[in-house]
Amino acid sequence: MPVLILGLVLFLGVHSLRLFADGWRSRQRARLGELRWKGLYALVSLIGFALICWGFGLARQHAVLLYVPPLALRHANALFTLIAFVLVAAAYVPRNHLKAAFGHPMLLGVMVWAFGHLLATGMLHDVLLFGAFLLWAVALFVASRRRDRLEGTRYPAGTLRGSALTLVIGVVAWAVFARWLHLWLIGMSPMG
């Protein structure tokens, strides 16, 4: 469990700098330069992500059951994850209605993904992983929306084409991940 916790602290910590240490972050970007700052940010993120993956695998070997979710919630998680994939796609596809409405659809996608997985799993390592991501995404979403309001940030209006493309990309990515990649990367198939 300590490796998982260290990975979460590194990964979510570096992704929370704007939330908790924006002044320090700005000074470091100016001191190091944009390219070196992004390189360091990416390196710490990758190390944190690798530790999360390794730590999660280690924690699964010594699983501690906290609760047993009903089977229906495991099926509902497929729907939550589908919605999360569409929201993440909305962060990248230009001029879609989700980005226009919410400004930060990737954070909403992380929230939905983490919440669905909390409903569907009941091991301590699951609660730690998904709970940490859920709390992080909620805090960052609230802070980001507040910053948008204060700075008067407006996102481009969505178009039918942008929204349709978002939906198609999200659904296809979800199907590929659920059918093949989840088993390969995580070691279990969500499709049964």
Side-chain angles (χ1 to χ4, degrees):
M1 203 70 75
V3 176
L4 174 59
I5 293 169
L6 177 60
L8 287 166
V9 167
L10 281 175
F11 186 84
L12 296 178
V14 76
H15 284 85
S16 300
L17 286 175
R18 189 148 192 207
L19 182 61
F20 296 110
D22 196 30
W24 180 86
R25 175 185 167 270
S26 297
R27 288 189 302 275
Q28 298 312 308
R29 284 177 69 184
R31 185 177 69 83
L32 295 171
E34 192 69 22
L35 193 58
R36 286 178 54 201
W37 169 257
K38 285 183 177 181
L40 184 60
Y41 186 96
L43 178 63
V44 173
S45 295
L46 287 171
I47 290 169
F49 185 72
L51 289 172
I52 288 171
C53 294
W54 183 36
F56 190 76
L58 291 173
R60 284 170 61 182
Q61 295 174 16
H62 305 285
V64 175
L65 181 65
L66 296 178
Y67 56 90
V68 178
L71 186 58
L73 292 180
R74 291 183 66 199
H75 295 300
N77 187 38
L79 178 60
F80 280 105
T81 306
L82 171 60
I83 293 166
F85 268 82
V86 171
L87 286 165
V88 170
Y92 295 101
V93 175
R95 302 189 65 87
N96 66 76
H97 288 90
L98 292 170
K99 176 83 172 181
F102 301 115
H104 305 276
M106 181 178 286
L107 292 172
L108 286 176
V110 172
M111 281 187 245
V112 172
W113 164 80
F115 181 71
H117 279 75
L118 282 172
L119 292 178
T121 59
M123 298 295 179
L124 176 60
H125 60 276
D126 297 319
V127 171
L128 181 62
L129 176 71
F130 302 118
F133 270 94
L134 178 60
L135 291 174
W136 168 80
V138 167
L140 201 56
F141 182 79
V142 168
S144 297
R145 292 301 282 173
R146 183 179 306 125
R147 185 176 56 248
D148 287 349
R149 283 191 301 277
L150 290 174
E151 295 174 357
T153 303
R154 297 274 183 244
Y155 295 93
T159 64
L160 184 58
R161 181 182 186 281
S163 295
L165 191 57
T166 297
L167 184 62
V168 168
I169 290 171
V171 169
V172 169
W174 170 81
V176 168
F177 191 82
R179 181 69 179 102
W180 295 287
L181 294 179
H182 198 281
L183 177 61
W184 182 61
L185 293 171
I186 313 300
M188 61 180 292
S189 174
M191 301 309 245

